[in-house]
Amino acid sequence: MRKTIDGELCRCGDGGQGAFPWTFLLLCLLGFFDLPSGLAAQDAPAGRSVGKAVADGREWLLSRQLLDGSWEGWSAKYPGGVTALCAYTLIKSGLPPKHPAVQRALAHLRTQFPTKTYSAGTLLLVLGATADPELEDWAAEVAEQLDDWRRPRGLYGYPGGNADLSNALFAALGFRAAAELGVKVPSK
């Protein structure tokens, strides 16, 4: 058990992996689709429903952040990946990049160099989402490592495994975010 920012105990008996795939899917949906700003204030019932769901999801994430700035789950297999995805989702849901929760997550991520494509891709996503030029060098370092993992045919995969399209997608999204931050990324 570990303490969250709001002082609650977070218990994930299986290391956070049991229920996490569903949470991961939800975070992907919230994080990878840009929602119009001010969505919660729209008059349309559907807009209020979506805006409330996003706000509720953001509050849930904030309540689950651990004291060290991370979020529980998959950290042994994908160092920093879940934390980067959560921080990215917070920014995309309307939280400012300078918010203390995002800053704590970034501080934690500085201690977790990614070892797999998913973690590197999500780290680049959150760095790009901050739009902070001071993070360009960090993003360049991660993008260079990610490019070193590229397979001969240009795809990405698990270390020591075959290339697959889900890894290629995370790499492409990460490279796009890094390029938006000003990093020179591979053209192929």
Side-chain angles (χ1 to χ4, degrees), residues 59-84:
E59 290 307 311
W60 185 87
L61 280 176
L62 288 169
S63 75
R64 297 303 188 269
Q65 188 178 33
L66 300 176
L67 293 174
D68 67 359
S70 70
W71 279 265
E72 187 110 47
W74 299 75
S75 58
K77 193 170 186 178
Y78 300 97
V82 170
T83 296

Side-chain angles (χ1 to χ4, degrees), residues 87-100:
Y88 174 75
T89 301
L90 288 173
I91 293 170
K92 288 300 190 176
S93 71
L95 207 63
K98 296 293 184 190
H99 188 279

